[in-house]
């Protein structure tokens, strides 16, 4: 994830098939060293940027755009996994996509980065990952930070650093791993310790629904556990409004918040791409991936399901042995 | 003028199936049962093979369906007295014996039985427990009416005193009635042989020697020890069980025929016993293991490999009792004697004709065969010797449940054939007042709490519950009734609906499983939509299971609160009506396909018959004689000419099905022939694609010209080429790892051909190398005949199979003879291989086209192996012939008629009316993620385009004609955008809430 | 904790478990009145959100009861029930909720005795575990 990666991306983007009408890639944010997802025309390749701070997931942007257009997308392992999932759920057609896959060594945790970097964010010229070090340059100065100090923790357990499905791949393929040691560690705590941990976590949750907003899998127009987004129009008759499913009220408290997160996570069983957008978006910095990962562990260990399977996990018939 | 009614004699599973098929296709049915309750033998079974389904679970819905069917009249506790008239118009005299209980008043509460001081032997539990003199045969009995056994009754009058419904009537008299019917179906089943006849096994002498049906009751959760397996002498759990097969079957002293079902039921008993007592050791002593039905061979293999059940081939000579009650069993195997000790011995007793068969045959004027069963013909397996009287089930030959059910449907088809013109004339259709539109009205709930005599009231303070109900939101009326199900109560409910302008009704009484339809009907009569009703169960699930009146009352309140909470959200639902195209498509023009097409056409149904070959006939073209000397080619010719000349049948030869779209009642198919493509519309499909003989890779087949299959041999014999020295090898390509199933027909084919050779050349040498000779039912006599005529039978072990090789151009067969304990080398002229019957390759394509499943072996998989043998899970598609599983000509014919009967239940209706509680998509909330589509067990959901203001949008859509209302979709959908009407997300959620909010309500 | 009477909600499928509960009734087998049965057509229709809602509203135990594997009236609904049950149970356990309060039971129409026994045992177990305080809505 250095200048060379960016050059390769640009190179590939310059020779895209003619029918591609948009590129969904990363563009550097003004006055900050990180990239955001942007939609570009094929002639705007020069605007592209890419760095270990290109941590966002472009899948949802692609989902909207690829309905009527052919789109090229720059996708890290998790991004590609989200795209694949959306494809399984008939939200995207593969033929509308041109995937420029990135073999991803992991991305930077922006919160850690801001606390570690010595420059003012606006001054930073470039951030590159060279070997094990993040090299930050600003006005001729350079700071080298060991990657392990700022890596997004989620990336340590990445199952799929390299996209499985791509049209072109940049970088040497990397092996993923199945590692639930963090979850196993947590499971060793007593039930009471776990409960107080989560009560502590969820008493902080303000149910702003940011996690739902950014999640590539939470594309539902309405959410069973998000009473704030029921599609009620002024024309909705009272009877119908009463018939709308409502599990939770709007009051915010730890138990309701827990139910919100459990239901949301259950809907992600076998679908979660593992990108960690939920955690990044959470203003309260809650460890939301932990619940998702617990479920991933169950899906993997009990159901032996791989997210690469064609049929969505929740729809799949599993006949488990009794006992 | 024929009469559009049918009398079915015998209310076992066969009679039930016949009755339901006929009633559903427009005929009035009288179902005569000699006992007070229908259900027959199946009601006594714990599990059914080969799936180990709970027997009562699958039977009970059928019992209830019969019980409440408006066109079926159950004449219970009755017997046939006389008959006059002829096919199309019989007058039948029936004697109804008194029940001493008024069925109109009896609510089935059982208070009488509990109070009765008499203790009599319980026949239902085969003498292993006691019942009272006033009793119900079994808890799920239909009709649910108690009766008094006057032989046992001491006339104390206690029951009359405790019966709040005043239903007991000691003065009831025997009564004779006459019914007028067009045809008669005989389904009285059979009785089990009396094991005492085989005195050497000690039944009746040693308490721990029991019969298989007693063991069945022992294993049952509703049995004498509630599923705990205990032996009679000391109640100890048996650790070593011996099961002896062929008790009064295949036995010259008692019954020479094979009872067909015992090998598989013994396997079932062994498996279930192992589940009850995991460390038990179970030995089954067989002569031949005859697990020939669909899935049976695999079942026996599982018993052996997974459960460690031990099968011994040998005949048991004697059983002796030791002092401690244990039993010593002596048996012979390969000429040597062995002895083994057991804790319990189970005798697998066979079937015999029903005890009153002879009398019935005389009354009806029908012929019985040499064994006393009803005589039928190979090509007319359902007809008796008297026109207009048909037969199904064990009474014509021992058989298992699926064969009986298939025959029962067949008999229904035949019985309706002769009175087809009278269809719909004698049935009643109820008229209801127009339905009041309640949309927009706020809920006005009426609650009726039932005393059920004292059944509920003794444990629940019914009046307090009714008072409590009045405090619930939207409840405008609450009452309590002595018997809410009684006729006068229905009038009171209707009156209350009018007086209080109720638009939701809640009844708190017994169980919806028996009484929901009754109250729904009452609502309809009062002009309310039947789905505005909610049932609360405070008897079976409250008063009868609790002991503290205060707590039970409290619970009843909670349940009523939940019921009302749901009722407030109930919506009127419309029964789903689907038009029916009254035409049929039959796929496959072999025996099954032709028989089916012809019967459909004879009943006035236009039928398309498609055959992939240029000519009709299928496998029947290669069968030249039957084992009982009939001419299949004659049958073939007459069928082909009838089919081709029938004005209602259109035959497509060299044809292929390209696509099928639609659902029950409304299919459109594309048929491709050499002359082009044709679209046809039809309401049902019958799959009769057949199967074929396996081309062996074993035993030098294809390498030496004198190694042939049975079909090839038959062709040779037909052409006058009779070999003089033949060795036949059984199970070629069957019962192995690749094809674990038994091909069922090959044992009889081998014997048929062996007998033919002997007939044409009595000096010929014929030897049959076999694993088990499976000449089930009456076929057993041909096995015996073959032995008598000098056909040599030698058993081989699959682990040490015979070898065939060629030495200097000559065939050499080498095999091990267990009795001689020696390896034999023979040089026959011919080696004949009894090759497996294998499914057609096209099955896969057809299964995909129709979206119906195949089993692991590539045959089509029916909806239920027991009770729906010719139905697919998808409504409107049926299965016939050997596409189902290998079978003989009469069995194929009966499956074909069965498929027709089932098809007629659809085709004879103008509209199919379905339960309204189906899945529905709430479009605004759906975003077409397809999770429900892929989870739906019946593929009822698809994604379709909708025009909305925002343009064309994709949404899920439910085909209500296909949907079963299971709700798997609703729990899969992440946004509750698909719900099952009557069980919506909010309805159940409100129930959950209400149960928990009763504290709050009571506090206010 | 004295006089604690647990509240138990049992979702029972129409074809097997509800019928099994009926059989317990017709056989007059006893189990505690703490158990309230809610009829559903199939165990596969039980929405995990109902279970959570039940705990939130103060249920001390929740049971999903369905047909034995292979016996489902709709052929496979119970397998889906089991799948969702495992997911929810594992999550509840993970967050430190007493997941033993949540149970899946296979009970056929002929297992009235089993149904009564299981309900008795479950009620007693919940009684021992005490009130479910973790998710219960507090009246504030």
């Amino acid at each position: 994830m250095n200048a060379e990666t960016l050059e390769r991306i640009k190179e590939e983007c310059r020779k895209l098939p003619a029918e591609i009408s948009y590129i969904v890639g990363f563009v550097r944010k003004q006055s900050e060293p990180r990239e955001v997802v942007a939609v570009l025309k094929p002639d705007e390749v020069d605007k592209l940027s890419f760095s270990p701070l290109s941590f966002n997931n472009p899948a949802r942007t692609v989902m909207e755009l690829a309905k009527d257009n052919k789109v090229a997308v720059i996708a890290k392992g998790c991004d590609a996994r989200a795209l694949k999932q959306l494809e399984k759920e008939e939200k995207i057609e593969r033929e509308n996509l041109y995937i420029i896959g990135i073999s991803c060594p992991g991305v930077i945790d922006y919160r850690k980065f801001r606390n570690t970097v010595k420059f003012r964010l606006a001054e930073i010229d470039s951030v590159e990952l060279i070997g094990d070090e993040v090299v930050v340059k600003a006005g001729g100065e350079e700071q080298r930070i060991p990657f392990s100090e700022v890596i997004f923790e989620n990336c340590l357990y990445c199952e799929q650093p390299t996209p499985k499905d791509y049209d072109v791949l940049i970088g040497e393929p990397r092996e993923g791993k199945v590692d639930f040691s963090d979850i196993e560690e947590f499971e060793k705590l007593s039930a009471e310790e776990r409960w107080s941990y989560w009560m502590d976590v969820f008493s902080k949750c303000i149910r702003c629904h940011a996690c739902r907003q950014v999640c590539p899998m939470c594309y539902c127009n309405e959410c069973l556990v998000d009473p704030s987004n029921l599609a009620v129009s002024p024309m909705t008759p009272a009877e119908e409004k009463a018939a709308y499913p409502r599990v939770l009220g709007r009051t915010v408290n730890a138990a309701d918040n827990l139910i919100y997160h459990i239901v949301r996570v259950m809907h992600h069983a076998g679908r979660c791409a593992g990108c960690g957008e939920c955690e990044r978006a959470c203003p309260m910095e809650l460890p939301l991936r932990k619940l998702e990962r617990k479920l991933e562990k169950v899906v993997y260990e009990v159901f032996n399901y791989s997210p690469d399977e064609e049929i969505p996990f929740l729809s799949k018939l599993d006949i488990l042995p009794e006992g | 003028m024929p009469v559009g009614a049918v009398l079915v004699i015998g209310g076992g599973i066969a009679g039930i199936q016949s009755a339901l098929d006929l009633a559903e296709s427009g005929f009035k049915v009288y179902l005569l049962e000699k006992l007070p309750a229908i259900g027959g033998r199946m009601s006594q079974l714990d599990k059914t093979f080969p799936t180990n389904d709970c027997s009562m679970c699958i039977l009970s819905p059928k019992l209830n369906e019969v019980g409440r069917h408006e066109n079926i009249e159950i004449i219970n506790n009755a017997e046939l007295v006389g008959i006059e008239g002829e096919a199309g118009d019989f007058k039948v005299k029936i004697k109804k014996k008194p029940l001493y209980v008024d069925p109109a008043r009896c609510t089935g509460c059982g208070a009488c039985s509990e109070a009765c001081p008499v203790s009599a032997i319980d026949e239902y539990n085969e003498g292993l427990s006691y019942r009272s003199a006033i009793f119900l045969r079994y808890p799920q009995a239909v009709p649910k009416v108690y009766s008094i056994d006057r032989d046992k009754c001491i006339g104390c009058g206690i029951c009359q005193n405790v019966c709040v419904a005043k239903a007991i009537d000691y003065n009831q008299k025997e009564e004779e009635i006459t019914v007028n019917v067009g045809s008669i179906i005989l389904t009285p089943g059979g009785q089990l042989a009396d094991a005492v006849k085989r005195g050497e096994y000690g039944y009746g002498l040693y308490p721990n020697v029991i019969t298989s049906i007693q063991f069945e009751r022992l294993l049952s959760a509703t049995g004498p020890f509630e599923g705990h397996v205990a032996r009679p002498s000391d109640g100890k759990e048996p650790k070593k069980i011996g099961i002896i097969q062929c008790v009064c079957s295949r036995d010259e002293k008692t019954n020479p025929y094979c009872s067909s079902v015992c090998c598989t039921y013994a396997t079932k008993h062994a498996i279930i016993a192992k589940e009850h007592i995991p460390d038990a050791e179970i030995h089954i002593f067989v002569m031949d293991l005859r697990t020939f039905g669909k899935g049976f061979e695999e079942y026996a293999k599982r018993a052996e490999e997974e459960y460690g059940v031990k099968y011994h081939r040998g005949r048991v000579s004697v059983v002796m009792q030791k002092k401690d009650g244990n039993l010593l069993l002596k048996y012979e195997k390969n000429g040597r004697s062995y002895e083994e000790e057991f804790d319990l011995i189970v005798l697998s007793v066979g079937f015999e004709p029903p005890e009153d068969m002879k009398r019935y045959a005389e009354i009806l004027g029908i012929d019985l065969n040499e064994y006393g069963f009803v005589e039928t013909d190979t090509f007319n397996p359902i007809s008796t010797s008297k026109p207009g009287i048909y037969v199904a089930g064990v009474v014509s030959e021992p058989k298992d449940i699926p064969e009986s059910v298939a025959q029962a449907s067949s008999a229904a088809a035949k019985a309706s054939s002769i009175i087809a013109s009278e269809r719909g004339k004698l049935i009643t259709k109820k008229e209801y007042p127009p339905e009041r539109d309640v949309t927009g009205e706020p809920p006005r709930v009426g609650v009726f709490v039932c005393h059920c005599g004292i059944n509920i009231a003794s444990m629940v303070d019914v009046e307090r519950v009714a008072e409590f109900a009045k405090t619930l939101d939207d409840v405008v009326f609450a009452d309590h009734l002595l018997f809410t199900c009684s006729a006068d109560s229905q009038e009171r409910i209707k009156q209350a609906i009018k007086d209080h302008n109720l638009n939701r009704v809640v009844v708190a009484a017994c169980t919806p499983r028996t009484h929901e339809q009754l109250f729904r009907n009452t609502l309809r009569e009062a002009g309310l939509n039947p789905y505005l009703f909610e049932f609360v169960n405070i008897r079976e699930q409250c008063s009868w299971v609790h002991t503290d009146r205060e707590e039970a009352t409290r619970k009843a309140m909670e349940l009523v609160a939940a019921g009302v909470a749901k009722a407030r959200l109930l919506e009127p639902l419309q029964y789903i009506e689907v038009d029916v195209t009254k035409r049929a498509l039959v796929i496959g023009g072999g025996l099954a396909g032709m028989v089916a097409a012809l019967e459909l056409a004879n009943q006035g149904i236009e039928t398309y018959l498609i055959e992939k070959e240029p000519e009709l006939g299928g496998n029947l073209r290669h069968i030249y004689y039957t084992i009982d000397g009939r001419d299949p080619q004659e049958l073939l010719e007459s069928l082909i000419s009838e089919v081709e000349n029938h004005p209602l049948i259109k035959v497509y030869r060299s044809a292929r099905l390209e696509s099928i779209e639609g659902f029950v009642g409304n299919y459109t198919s594309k048929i491709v022939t050499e002359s082009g493509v044709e679209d046809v519309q039809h309401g049902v499909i019958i799959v009769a694609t057949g199967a074929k003989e396996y081309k062996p890779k074993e035993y030098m087949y294809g390498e030496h010209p004198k190694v042939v299959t049975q079909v090839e041999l038959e062709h040779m014999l037909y052409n006058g080429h009779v070999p003089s020295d033949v060795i036949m090898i059984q199970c070629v390509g069957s019962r192995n790892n690749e094809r674990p199933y038994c091909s069922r027909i090959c044992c009889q084919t081998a014997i048929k051909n062996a007998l033919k050779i002997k007939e044409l050349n009595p000096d010929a040498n014929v030897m049959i190398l076999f694993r088990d000779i499976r000449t089930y039912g009456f076929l057993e006599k041909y096995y015996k005949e073959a032995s008598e005529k000098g056909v040599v039978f030698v058993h081989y072990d699959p682990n040490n199979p015979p070898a065939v090789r060629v030495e200097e151009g000559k065939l050499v067969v080498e095999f091990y003879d267990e009795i001689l304990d020696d390896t034999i080398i023979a040089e026959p002229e011919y080696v004949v291989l009894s090759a497996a019957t294998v499914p057609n390759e096209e099955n896969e394509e057809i299964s995909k086209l129709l979206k119906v499943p195949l089993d692991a072996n590539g045959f089509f998989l029916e909806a239920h192996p027991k009770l729906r043998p010719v139905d697919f899970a998808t409504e409107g598609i049926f299965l016939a012939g050997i596409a189902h599983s290998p079978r003989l000509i009469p069995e194929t014919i009966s499956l074909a008629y069965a498929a027709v009967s089932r098809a007629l239940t659809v085709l004879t209706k103008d509209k199919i009316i379905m339960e309204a509680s189906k899945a529905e998509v709430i479009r605004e909330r759906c975003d077409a993620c397809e999770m429900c589509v892929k989870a739906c067990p019946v593929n009822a959901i698809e994604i379709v385009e909708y025009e909305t203001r925002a343009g064309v949008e994709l949404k899920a859509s439910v085909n209500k004609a296909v949907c079963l209302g299971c709700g798997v979709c609703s729990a899969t959908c992440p946004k509750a955008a698909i719900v099952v009407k009557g069980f919506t997300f909010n309805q159940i959620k409100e129930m959950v809430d209400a149960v928990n909010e009763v504290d709050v309500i009571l506090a206010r | 904790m004295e006089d604690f009477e647990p509240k138990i909600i049992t979702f029972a499928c129409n074809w097997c478990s509800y019928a099994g509960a009926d059989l317990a009734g017709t056989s007059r087998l006893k189990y505690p009145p703490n158990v309230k049965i809610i009829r559903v057509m199939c165990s596969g229709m039980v929405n995990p959100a109902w279970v959570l809602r039940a705990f939130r509203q103060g249920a001390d135990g929740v049971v999903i009861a369905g047909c034995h594997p292979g016996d489902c009236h709709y052929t496979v609904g119970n397998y889906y029930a089991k799948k969702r049950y495992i997911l929810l149970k594992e999550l509840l356990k993970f967050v430190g909720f007493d997941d033993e309060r949540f149970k899946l039971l296979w009970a056929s129409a002929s297992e009235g005795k089993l149904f009564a026994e299981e309900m008795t045992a479950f009620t007693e177990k919940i009684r021992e575990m005490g009130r479910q305080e973790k998710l219960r809505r507090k009246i504030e």
Side-chain angles (χ1 to χ4, degrees), chain C residues 44-133:
Chain C
M45 111 181 331
V46 176
N47 198 311
W50 294 337
V51 177
L52 291 167
R53 176 84 184 186
F55 283 127
R56 187 77 183 116
Q57 297 299 99
D60 300 294
V62 177
V63 181
I64 297 177
C67 307
H68 284 274
D71 282 3
C72 175
H73 184 76
Y74 310 101
T75 66
V76 294
N78 50 354
Y79 295 119
Y80 284 95
K82 181 169 180 184
K83 183 167 187 170
R84 295 187 201 107
Y85 166 78
I86 291 173
L87 295 179
L88 182 55
K89 180 143 177 122
E90 285 291 325
L91 279 175
L92 285 173
K93 192 170 169 180
F94 191 67
V95 298
F97 183 80
D98 333 314
D99 64 294
E100 292 191 358
R101 295 180 183 277
F102 178 34
K103 180 183 172 66
L104 179 69
L105 173 69
W106 301 142
S108 79
S110 64
E111 289 173 327
K113 184 157 183 274
L114 175 98
F115 186 86
E117 284 170 357
E118 289 281 349
M119 289 302 123
T120 307
F122 188 66
T123 308
E124 286 323 304
K125 182 168 152 187
I126 299 296
R127 196 189 298 280
E128 267 168 41
M129 288 174 79
R131 258 166 82 93
Q132 183 271 116
E133 297 289 356

Side-chain angles (χ1 to χ4, degrees), chain B residues 703-731:
Chain B
E703 289 169 55
H704 191 285
K706 294 202 166 172
V707 178
V708 297
T709 65
Q710 292 288 1
V711 169
E712 289 160 356
L713 172 67
E714 190 167 335
H715 194 248
M716 273 166 52
L717 295 174
Y718 178 69
N719 288 324
H721 182 99
V722 185
S724 59
D725 193 352
V726 173
I727 292 184
M728 296 182 178
I729 304 176
Q730 298 304 104
C731 297

Side-chain angles (χ1 to χ4, degrees), chain B residues 589-826:
Chain B
L591 175 60
M594 287 196 293
V595 169
L598 208 53
E599 184 59 34
L600 282 164
N602 285 341
Q603 300 222 18
I605 304 292
E606 210 177 307
T607 302
Y608 307 108
L609 175 65
I610 63 174
E611 168 56 47
K612 64 178 177 183
E613 303 284 337
E615 53 183 314
L616 294 172
N619 289 311
L620 193 59
R621 287 188 289 145
H622 311 297
I623 306 177
Y624 301 100
Y625 42 85
T626 67
I627 200 163
D628 58 352
R630 299 294 306 272
D631 183 358
Q633 293 301 311
E634 208 175 282
L635 173 70
L636 175 69
E637 262 172 54
S638 78
L639 275 176
I640 291 180
S641 100
E642 278 185 72
V643 163
E644 289 184 333
N645 295 318
H646 204 295
L648 290 180
I649 302 179
K650 183 162 181 192
V651 182
Y652 298 83
R653 287 181 197 74
S654 304
R656 191 173 63 80
L657 196 62
E658 187 170 279
S659 69
I660 283 199
E661 270 169 28
F663 48 88
V664 57
N666 300 272
Y667 286 104
T668 303
S669 301
K670 259 190 179 35
I671 299 172
V672 185
T673 58
E674 281 152 1
S675 53
V677 184
E678 194 177 326
D679 270 350
V680 294
Q681 264 87 41
H682 49 97
V684 301
I685 302 162
I686 293 179
V687 178
T689 51
K692 58 184 185 186
E693 191 185 43
Y694 165 64
K695 290 279 162 236
K697 297 182 187 73
E698 299 89 340
Y699 302 117
M700 310 290 294
Y701 181 81
E703 289 169 55
H704 191 285
K706 294 202 166 172
V707 178
V708 297
T709 65
Q710 292 288 1
V711 169
E712 289 160 356
L713 172 67
E714 190 167 335
H715 194 248
M716 273 166 52
L717 295 174
Y718 178 69
N719 288 324
H721 182 99
V722 185
S724 59
D725 193 352
V726 173
I727 292 184
M728 296 182 178
I729 304 176
Q730 298 304 104
C731 297
V732 178
S734 300
R735 302 179 69 190
N736 59 19
N737 285 336
E738 190 189 346
R739 255 172 253 98
Y741 61 92
C742 163
S743 290
R744 182 171 181 147
I745 59 177
C746 353
C747 281
Q748 78 92 36
T749 309
I751 288 173
K752 175 182 87 171
N753 286 341
L755 283 170
K756 196 75 184 175
I757 293 171
K758 283 286 192 184
E759 176 195 324
L760 297 171
N761 176 7
D763 296 332
N765 292 322
V766 184
M767 180 183 275
I768 300 180
L769 303 177
F770 70 97
R771 287 173 60 185
D772 294 280
I773 288 291
R774 294 184 166 174
T775 42
Y776 54 92
F778 302 149
L779 290 170
E780 180 70 9
K781 80 170 168 199
Y782 300 103
Y783 180 20
K784 189 160 171 273
E785 186 186 334
S787 299
E788 284 165 0
K789 291 203 168 139
V791 176
V792 179
F793 290 87
V794 178
H795 178 255
Y796 77 84
D797 186 322
N799 296 317
N800 184 18
V804 176
R805 55 181 184 267
V806 180
E807 282 173 12
E808 293 163 7
K810 274 190 189 162
L811 278 172
V812 176
V813 180
E814 188 181 322
F815 60 92
Y816 171 74
D817 186 319
E818 288 161 355
I819 294 177
L820 302 176
D821 189 15
D822 203 359
T823 299
I824 311 289
I825 293 171

